[in-house]
Amino acid sequence: MSISRFTSVFALSLALCLAVSTPNLSAQNLSAQSAQELASNSAPVAGSSADDGAAPKLEPFDPNLVDKTLDPCNDFYKYACSKWLTANPIPADQIYWSTGSGLQLWNENLLRETLVAASANDSNRNAVHQKIGDYYAACMDETGIEAAGLKPLQLELDRIAALKSKKDITLEIARLHHMFPGAWQYGDNQTDAPFFGFTGQQDYDDASKVVAQIDQGGLSLPNRDYYIKTDDKSKEILQKYHAHIQKMFVLAGESETQAAADATTVIELETGLAQVQMDNITRRDPKNVNNKMTLAQVRELTPSIDWDVYFMAVKAPASEHYIVTSPAFFRGEEKLIKDHSLAQWQTYMRWQAIHLSAPYLNKALLDENFDFFARTLAGAETQRPRWRRCVNAADRDLGDALGQAYVDRAFPPDSRARTIQMVHSIEAALNSDVQSLSWMSPETKQQAIVKLKGIEDKIGYPAHWHDYSSVTITRDSYLNNVGQATSFEFERWVAKIGKPVDRGEWTMTPPTINAYYDPQLNTINFPAGILQPPFFDPSKDDSVNYGAIGMVIGHEIIHGFDDQGRKFDAHGNLRDWWTADDGKQYDERGKCISDEYTQDVPDAGPGVKQNGLLTQGEDTADNGGIHLALNALEASLKQQGKTLEDKGPDGWTYRQRFFLSNAYSWCANVRPEVTRLIVTTDPHSMPVFRIDNVLSNMSEFQQAFGCKPGQKMVRANACRVW
Ligand SMILES: [Zn+2]
């Protein structure tokens, strides 16, 4: 079961005990100011590109950016955001640009300071400094990478060329799964696992157990629609993909003719796999992917894959049973393996190896990879500075080692304490909401409260850090370092099979600007990276913080009760705890949401439509989350002897400030290419809908800004689940 994130993770395939002690990060400087101080203290790097790494700007809530010439009841997103949007066009190296983007750069700058210090090649470094420092140094060594050319990958290409029969394919799949980040997993936006994905995960029916999960995979484009849809734009992208594969094969040493033929083979095989994949809407229902099989059944499903060899190669412990998310995919894959020659599959594997290693190899491959996956698919004009890409790769591959330093420098205990307090008040708001629901029976209410009380709150960073001592990192080969870190992470997950569940596991690193709900652990997780301005700002009053991070907290809690989350109980088991009638009531309310969000996306070209069935869970979380945050704000103000109607700073009422801060945290310029990507692959709605749809469902908003029936921000058929 994938986790429910707060916002999207764009898999663009661009895509430690660090003792930086900061004892004086005390109550006085825990705030945005301290963040800004740190930012302005960062030494600018040499060079004069637009992004020279100097002092990125954080974007704390600023009520002066409201455009009072516009009508808040017509389009509140524009009212709150248009001045900011005009003043902040998308930088050439970005695919979207939001009020949170400055924070992303700021986090990267901070991490770079740690990495640069650790990369000084001196003998006094501790083991953790050696790993993150040498990882960063190898990534930054463009001269060395250029001189090595394809050499770091050659051994793998030779192995693929030397395969003697289809029986040898299995071992090569295991090798590819060890080499590339994400190459063993199927994620929300990611289909990168060659042939299939494999990992250990909690059992759906008994969340106390970890079992083996075998998932569909095999594609390189963002999802199956890119291969299957037949509209002009989709056909054009597939043609450009063909040209891209051909160029990559040429760069890897093939003739133009051979490369063209091989590109056709790759697309034929990937299209075949896409056709038998389960679509992302069907995958949203956990019942559809909870297919338990015995080992004998798995062997029978896909005899062309030697599962015993694969499990031995990835060191998988025996599993009580195997969850095969999509048996139809594996039946289809079996037929494809049978119907195509070894040579064709060698071409597919050669492509996978070249494609997945491109971000870590020489400039020619890197640029061509960027040209298709970032420029054509996402609209980026230029690559991000190399050091930023290296910082992000280090965060992905050695995240816990780097995360400790980030927490020490950017997340003081007071920020944690204030966040915990907000989480508790928002959980209390859901408790009251559930008690007051007119459509839910007392039996279901009681179960909902049990689940709510069972949620574990995780704030900032994990209680235990991963021990990377078994990972070998050198300054010699970036690609090899990535492979070492990937093997460690892949095998770490596989080794969980048959062992007790580790309730301390996080699936986001501390500097990540995101948050998530995990239905099988029943936890909400807020990395330190998002507990910064504009989302959390200790220098601002409650109305601003509840409107921004408060809504994020409410959103994650509601994920436990959205159309997916409600199917899991307090212990994370897939178990229906709803009465039949309450379940029916829920579905009707959910349908109101999915109908509302099935809509055209303005300014994105003809036929670009958002699918409310894909975004229903996230939309439910957005709608419910803001109600909880507003109720918690009201309770907090009451304790201070104030009401929502009282005027706060800048002349707005606290209620108005709450909604303005909420919208402000979502202001984003989005490239049309990314819009297309979002509506096809992303379970989250477009930013404008995350504000205007939510608020137009809300009488509290309409009251705050005096909106009347008939105006756009007053929806005649308002939806409400939570
Ligand atoms: Zn979410």
Side-chain angles (χ1 to χ4, degrees):
M1 183 66 198
S2 62
I3 57 169
S4 295
R5 295 184 174 87
F6 175 61
T7 186
S8 28
V9 176
F10 292 105
L12 263 186
S13 65
L14 300 176
L16 33 164
C17 275
L18 245 173
V20 181
S21 107
T22 49
N24 42 5
L25 268 180
S26 59
Q28 286 92 326
N29 58 357
L30 81 176
S31 65
Q33 280 87 344
S34 82
Q36 278 156 341
E37 268 166 41
L38 277 169
S40 59
N41 289 340
S42 327
V45 291
S48 58
S49 69
D51 178 6
D52 62 4
K57 201 168 84 179
L58 288 172
E59 306 268 6
F61 172 65
D62 179 2
N64 295 320
L65 290 174
V66 173
D67 187 346
K68 291 185 180 169
T69 66
L70 297 176
D71 181 355
C73 300
N74 182 45
D75 181 342
F76 191 70
Y77 180 77
K78 278 220 172 97
Y79 180 71
C81 288
S82 62
K83 278 193 187 173
W84 187 92
L85 293 173
T86 308
N88 292 278
I90 306 174
D93 64 352
Q94 299 286 338
I95 57 173
Y96 67 97
W97 193 249
S98 70
T99 40
S101 296
L103 174 58
Q104 175 66 35
L105 300 188
W106 185 83
N107 282 351
E108 289 165 3
N109 277 42
L110 204 64
L111 296 176
R112 180 180 59 161
E113 289 177 21
T114 300
L115 290 165
V116 167
S119 66
N121 198 0
D122 85 54
S123 53
N124 294 327
R125 291 185 299 173
N126 66 26
V128 173
H129 279 101
Q130 181 273 321
K131 285 186 207 307
I132 60 171
D134 286 352
Y135 182 98
Y136 185 70
C139 177
M140 289 300 289
D141 179 16
E142 288 181 272
T143 316
I145 290 170
E146 206 52 40
L150 263 186
K151 222 183 289 164
L153 187 64
Q154 197 55 50
L155 193 63
E156 213 50 52
L157 296 176
D158 292 346
R159 271 205 187 90
I160 293 168
L163 301 187
K164 295 274 184 300
S165 79
K166 285 190 193 169
K167 277 196 182 130
D168 300 335
I169 290 176
T170 300
L171 213 49
E172 187 54 36
I173 298 174
R175 291 193 54 81
L176 293 171
H177 287 180
H178 276 92
M179 286 180 69
F180 306 109
W184 44 282
Q185 258 180 333
Y186 183 108
D188 289 347
N189 291 324
Q190 174 178 289
T191 48
D192 277 352
F195 288 90
F196 58 84
F198 181 70
T199 191
Q201 78 141 34
Q202 283 170 272
D203 187 46
Y204 286 105
D205 299 315
D206 180 355
S208 70
K209 290 180 179 154
V210 182
V211 295
Q213 179 184 271
I214 307 172
D215 203 355
Q216 65 185 18
L219 314 185
S220 305
L221 291 174
N223 86 352
R224 69 194 292 274
D225 285 8
Y226 282 79
Y227 298 88
I228 293 168
K229 283 174 83 175
T230 53
D231 60 285
D232 288 349
K233 186 72 192 168
S234 301
K235 281 197 275 188
E236 180 198 322
I237 289 177
L238 207 52
Q239 270 165 15
K240 287 184 175 168
Y241 180 48
H242 188 282
H244 166 66
I245 302 172
Q246 185 178 346
K247 282 183 202 156
M248 292 289 275
F249 276 135
V250 169
L251 290 171
E254 290 187 11
S255 71
E256 288 285 352
T257 324
Q258 184 62 43
D262 285 350
T264 303
T265 300
V266 168
I267 290 185
E268 182 185 332
L269 292 174
E270 290 189 354
T271 303
L273 292 170
Q275 279 162 343
V276 294
Q277 276 203 356
M278 186 185 283
D279 69 81
N280 54 5
I281 291 167
T282 309
R283 274 174 75 84
R284 288 196 68 250
D285 187 337
K287 287 196 201 82
N288 294 335
V289 293
N290 182 21
N291 304 298
K292 283 192 236 182
M293 291 194 171
T294 62
L295 183 54
Q297 287 171 317
V298 172
R299 289 185 190 123
E300 206 175 310
L301 187 65
T302 315
S304 293
I305 292 165
D306 188 333
W307 290 101
D308 298 284
V309 165
Y310 180 81
F311 293 142
M312 197 177 296
V314 303
K315 303 179 191 150
S319 187
E320 193 175 293
H321 50 259
Y322 296 76
I323 296 173
V324 178
T325 56
S326 171
F329 170 81
F330 285 92
R331 277 191 290 274
E333 182 162 63
E334 171 65 18
K335 189 169 179 330
L336 281 167
I337 297 176
K338 279 228 165 74
D339 291 351
H340 291 83
S341 67
L342 174 65
Q344 285 174 304
W345 286 108
Q346 283 170 304
T347 299
Y348 168 82
M349 286 185 276
R350 193 162 68 249
W351 160 248
Q352 290 287 333
I354 295 166
H355 161 60
L356 293 170
S357 58
Y360 320 110
L361 291 176
N362 60 26
K363 188 168 184 308
L365 283 169
L366 187 70
D367 287 353
E368 176 54 34
N369 185 58
F370 171 86
D371 193 65
F372 180 75
F373 280 96
R375 198 192 309 266
T376 300
L377 288 188
E381 293 162 34
T382 57
Q383 300 201 43
R384 305 190 69 205
R386 184 161 186 100
W387 71 264
R388 290 199 182 278
R389 287 178 270 142
C390 291
V391 165
N392 283 306
D395 175 47
R396 178 198 62 204
D397 286 345
L398 299 167
D400 272 25
L402 204 48
Q404 291 175 58
Y406 178 82
V407 167
D408 285 343
R409 296 193 56 186
F411 192 56
D414 301 61
S415 284
R416 192 161 192 266
R418 190 156 166 202
T419 310
I420 290 171
Q421 197 186 358
M422 289 179 77
V423 169
H424 289 164
S425 71
I426 291 167
E427 285 168 347
L430 180 56
N431 194 331
S432 312
D433 182 59
V434 168
Q435 308 285 10
S436 70
L437 290 180
S438 58
W439 57 271
M440 191 185 269
S441 69
E443 300 96 284
T444 306
K445 279 183 183 176
Q446 196 223 337
Q447 294 278 324
I449 299 297
V450 169
K451 176 156 187 184
L452 171 60
K453 295 219 162 114
I455 293 178
E456 195 180 334
D457 311 322
K458 295 189 182 175
I459 314 297
Y461 51 91
H464 304 286
W465 303 96
H466 297 149
D467 172 10
Y468 295 104
S469 55
S470 64
V471 186
T472 308
I473 301 291
T474 70
R475 297 170 97 88
D476 303 334
S477 165
Y478 181 28
L479 180 68
N480 190 52
N481 288 345
V482 170
Q484 292 291 325
T486 303
S487 294
F488 170 79
E489 188 64 3
F490 176 37
E491 292 189 358
R492 197 175 70 75
W493 278 89
V494 169
K496 290 170 185 272
I497 296 168
K499 302 219 171 64
V501 171
D502 173 10
R503 295 198 52 84
E505 184 72 67
W506 281 60
T507 54
M508 283 179 188
T509 64
T512 306
I513 305 172
N514 211 335
Y516 68 95
Y517 172 75
D518 184 324
Q520 291 178 290
L521 287 174
N522 199 21
T523 63
I524 45 175
N525 296 57
F526 302 94
I530 197 172
L531 300 171
Q532 317 284 348
F535 302 102
F536 173 72
D537 188 341
S539 72
K540 296 275 195 267
D541 65 275
D542 276 348
S543 63
V544 172
N545 280 315
Y546 276 96
I549 196 70
M551 181 272 177
V552 179
I553 296 167
H555 173 108
E556 297 309 336
I557 294 170
I558 293 293
H559 269 316
F561 304 88
D562 70 15
D563 64 310
Q564 285 182 321
R566 79 176 190 86
K567 293 171 179 159
F568 294 84
D569 68 15
H571 303 291
N573 299 319
L574 187 56
R575 181 177 70 82
D576 189 359
W577 45 269
W578 294 63
T579 67
D581 190 49
D582 289 333
K584 210 169 135 241
Q585 293 273 354
Y586 182 96
D587 288 342
E588 276 168 28
R589 284 172 165 71
K591 187 176 180 307
C592 181
I593 297 266
S594 59
D595 287 348
E596 176 183 325
Y597 282 81
T598 298
Q599 59 192 131
D600 290 328
V601 181
D603 314 321
V608 179
K609 210 176 166 93
Q610 189 169 278
N611 186 341
L613 290 174
L614 178 61
T615 60
Q616 184 182 344
E618 296 299 336
D619 299 333
T620 302
D622 283 348
N623 278 274
I626 195 163
H627 277 285
L628 300 186
L630 182 62
N631 292 346
L633 169 63
E634 188 170 19
S636 168
L637 288 171
K638 200 172 169 190
Q639 280 180 359
Q640 303 162 39
K642 297 175 191 164
T643 73
L644 288 168
E645 306 311 320
D646 290 344
K647 289 241 162 88
D650 316 303
W652 300 97
T653 67
Y654 287 116
R655 197 199 303 264
Q656 287 171 327
R657 276 170 74 78
F658 170 89
F659 288 117
L660 288 169
S661 168
N662 175 243
Y664 181 77
S665 68
W666 272 109
C667 303
N669 282 309
V670 184
R671 292 189 189 274
E673 292 87 347
V674 174
T675 300
R676 200 174 180 84
L677 199 61
I678 291 176
V679 300
T680 312
T681 63
D682 197 327
H684 300 86
S685 290
M686 296 295 295
V688 58
F689 301 146
R690 295 188 78 167
I691 298 304
D692 282 357
N693 286 32
V694 170
L695 301 186
S696 63
N697 284 325
M698 239 181 135
S699 60
E700 296 88 337
F701 164 78
Q702 290 142 11
Q703 195 187 333
F705 287 91
C707 304
K708 303 275 176 313
Q711 291 184 290
K712 275 194 190 155
M713 292 302 298
V714 183
R715 195 171 290 272
N717 179 26
C719 302
R720 174 92 193 251
V721 182
W722 299 104

